[in-house]
């Protein structure tokens, strides 16, 4: 019987073993992450404070600074008359604000509203580019 393997066979075997190990590691970390979540801890962090800081559509969390400086929107696309600046939290563009002269201002669904641009900037929002 021939017990020696060629370098090519060894390389292929090593590559397959590596792929299998990496694939199983990825599944285990996902499974362990979902298994280690503590439902009690999650429910404790979701009292009325989170519902007040998150929109119903995309669960966007509003930073604490913005909560102190801004107000809740009125309806889906409207801000109160005393706070007409629309603050929007996005993943791609970050925290941006829209003024009444902005294109598509009427269509923007704000996460928070501000009384002026200075307040929006103080809360960490900026004008979109």
């Amino acid at each position: 019987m021939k017990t020696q393997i060629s370098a090519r066979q060894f390389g292929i075997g090593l590559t397959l073993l590596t792929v299998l190990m990496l694939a199983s590691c990825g599944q285990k970390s996902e499974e362990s992450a979902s298994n280690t979540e503590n439902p009690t801890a999650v429910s404790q962090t979701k009292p009325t404070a989170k519902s007040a800081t998150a929109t119903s559509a995309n669960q966007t969390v509003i930073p604490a600074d913005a909560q102190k400086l801004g107000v809740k929107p009125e309806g889906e696309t409207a801000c109160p008359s005393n706070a007409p600046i629309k603050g929007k939290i996005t993943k791609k563009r970050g925290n941006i604000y829209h003024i009444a002269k902005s294109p598509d201002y009427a269509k923007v669904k704000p996460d928070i509203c501000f009384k002026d641009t200075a307040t929006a900037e103080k809360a960490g929002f900026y004008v979109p580019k």
Side-chain angles (χ1 to χ4, degrees), residues 50-114:
K50 182 162 185 175
S51 62
T53 62
T55 61
S56 59
N58 58 9
Q59 297 298 320
T60 302
V61 177
I62 300 170
D65 291 343
Q67 288 179 36
K68 292 175 187 175
L69 297 169
V71 296
K72 248 179 126 171
E74 293 178 343
E76 193 171 303
T77 60
C79 282
S81 60
N82 64 343
I85 308 301
K86 294 181 178 182
K88 184 72 178 163
I89 299 171
T90 65
K91 289 182 181 180
K92 286 185 177 182
R93 302 188 318 178
N95 299 347
I96 57 175
Y97 66 83
H98 298 272
I99 59 173
K101 295 179 183 178
S102 300
D104 297 329
Y105 173 82
K107 295 179 185 178
V108 173
K109 297 178 183 178
D111 295 315
I112 192 162
C113 301
F114 300 101

